[in-house]
Amino acid sequence: MIRILSISFSICLWLVLSGCKEPVQKPELESFVVKNVIHPNNNPYNKDKVELGKLLYFDKRLSLKGDTNCAICHGVEIQNSATAPRNQIHKSSAPSLTNVALYRDVFNDPQANDLEDIVQERVHTAVMLKDEKTIVARLNQVREYRELFEKSFGSPGITMERIVKAISAFERTIVSKNSKFDRYVMGEESALSPSQKRGLDVFMNKAKCSQCHKGPNFSDSERHTTGLKGITQTVRTPSLRDVSKKSEFMHNGEFTKLEDVVSHFVNGGSQGSIEDPLLKPASISEEEKRDLIEFLKSLEGESLPFEMPKIPKA
């Protein structure tokens, strides 16, 4: 009995000295945490389909001229690979596909109900140049692709619909999660530095960033003005996940430094830009601005780069 009490006392003493505490979650912030991505019933997840989609995503044979692929415009983090070239199709910085499955309406396209609708339109128009018959026939000439399509869908046949479903299934796996912020919300108090905690407070309150940047993707999926002079179009709120990894910011690549973007919005946009009730100058100090930037860095998810797939030979 004495031995048991001695062991119990030792354990309690160790817990006290080590500062060990039960993780305290922050329910008021849980709506910002990335959880499971749901695959739709008409395109359920399976590993073979995802792997097929990854091959198609990087295969230039999907383009009519054989000179481009999805990754050239919408780059993903690849092991031992340089940054993907600047978008050549849309003449601007293409939207990141990181966490694309978490956007409420994908690309805010009124004609699209799901990710598959967007992939169908983009691939058919911008990559295949509306000649799906030639592309399907080209893929049918590759024995490995014929086998992969049958394995992925349970029956033989390469069709446009199956190409779209495979690419969409792969894109839903491009997820940034388990960031320092996520771990902090789920109870790991030390995941954020003191500066980042102060920056979170600035983000939620003084700077009012969360008016537009909210939810697990830090985006309301709505279109807003950019505060850029001479720009009249509205742009969907971009995700802030992995924002510190970016080298270009704004829809047109206007800024190349995160600090400049923060200053732009803290100042309420550029002089002479279209007014927006949500875009007002924020009264924050330079130290608070630095804290805010540090918080944004905490949204960088785990580095899980894809390995460049080995494209099937004809």
Side-chain angles (χ1 to χ4, degrees):
M1 183 67 179
I2 295 175
R3 178 178 174 80
I4 294 174
L5 290 173
S6 177
I7 293 173
S8 299
F9 176 78
S10 298
I11 292 174
C12 290
L13 182 62
W14 177 82
L15 289 173
V16 171
L17 293 176
S18 64
C20 182
K21 298 178 181 179
E22 279 290 319
V24 179
Q25 297 185 8
K26 297 163 181 62
E28 72 278 9
L29 294 173
E30 279 197 45
S31 64
F32 288 86
V33 174
V34 175
K35 297 181 179 178
N36 294 330
V37 171
I38 298 175
H39 292 253
N41 292 331
N42 64 349
N43 191 17
Y45 173 88
N46 77 58
K47 185 178 179 181
D48 294 321
K49 190 195 302 179
V50 168
E51 289 302 312
L52 171 60
K54 180 160 67 171
L55 289 171
L56 295 170
Y57 193 88
F58 288 95
D59 196 339
K60 291 184 178 181
R61 282 175 294 195
L62 206 63
S63 68
L64 184 63
K65 298 180 180 179
D67 60 351
T68 190
N69 59 27
C70 302
I72 285 179
C73 295
H74 301 282
V76 296
E77 191 175 351
I78 299 297
Q79 291 179 345
N80 303 319
S81 174
T83 303
R86 184 181 172 86
N87 173 14
Q88 297 298 314
I89 293 178
H90 307 291
K91 306 300 182 185
S92 65
S93 298
S96 167
L97 293 184
T98 300
N99 292 352
V100 68
L102 298 179
Y103 280 113
R104 188 173 66 246
D105 48 8
V106 194
F107 288 105
N108 207 28
D109 186 332
Q111 304 301 317
N113 295 317
D114 216 331
L115 177 57
E116 283 75 8
D117 295 330
I118 290 294
V119 172
Q120 166 86 25
E121 193 278 327
R122 297 290 193 271
V123 171
H124 184 258
T125 302
V127 182
M128 294 182 174
L129 302 182
K130 301 182 180 182
D131 191 353
E132 66 181 80
K133 186 176 180 180
T134 296
I135 306 304
V136 169
R138 185 184 295 168
L139 295 180
N140 259 311
Q141 295 174 356
V142 183
R143 181 172 62 85
E144 188 174 344
Y145 268 134
R146 294 197 300 270
E147 294 173 349
L148 287 170
F149 271 89
E150 182 171 359
K151 187 178 181 181
S152 300
F153 292 95
S155 61
I158 299 177
T159 65
M160 182 65 188
E161 181 183 7
R162 288 184 169 185
I163 291 171
V164 167
K165 285 186 173 182
I167 293 175
S168 299
F170 165 65
E171 289 184 356
R172 285 192 175 94
T173 67
I174 306 174
V175 178
S176 172
K177 59 182 179 180
N178 202 32
S179 67
K180 290 180 179 180
F181 168 77
D182 295 320
R183 300 202 304 272
Y184 171 74
V185 174
M186 300 313 291
E188 188 181 329
E189 193 68 27
S190 62
L192 292 188
S193 68
S195 174
Q196 289 170 332
K197 290 176 184 177
R198 294 193 301 268
L200 169 59
D201 182 63
V202 173
F203 181 91
M204 300 295 291
N205 297 299
K206 277 193 171 183
K208 293 183 170 58
C209 306
S210 58
Q211 290 183 118
C212 302
H213 294 283
K214 52 190 173 183
N217 217 18
F218 280 79
S219 168
D220 61 3
S221 292
E222 300 291 345
R223 300 180 74 88
H224 300 283
T225 57
T226 62
L228 295 172
K229 188 176 181 179
I231 302 295
T232 58
Q233 70 191 92
T234 56
V235 178
R236 185 197 60 183
T237 306
S239 170
L240 294 182
R241 293 276 175 180
D242 289 341
V243 68
S244 55
K245 292 181 178 180
K246 293 173 66 69
S247 58
E248 289 185 347
F249 302 89
M250 311 300 286
H251 70 290
N252 60 354
E254 177 80 10
F255 302 115
T256 58
K257 293 181 179 180
L258 182 57
E259 291 79 1
D260 294 337
V261 183
V262 170
S263 294
H264 171 75
F265 284 105
V266 165
N267 293 334
S270 305
Q271 287 188 346
S273 63
I274 295 178
E275 293 187 6
D276 188 311
L278 295 179
L279 189 58
K280 299 293 184 183
S283 299
I284 67 175
S285 66
E286 287 300 315
E287 182 180 0
E288 288 173 323
K289 190 187 297 185
R290 289 192 293 271
D291 288 338
L292 176 57
I293 292 169
E294 286 304 308
F295 167 68
L296 294 176
K297 292 177 181 178
S298 79
L299 301 179
E300 188 172 311
E302 287 181 332
S303 182
L304 297 172
F306 295 97
E307 291 185 8
M308 189 69 178
K310 188 176 181 180
I311 305 300
K313 294 182 180 181

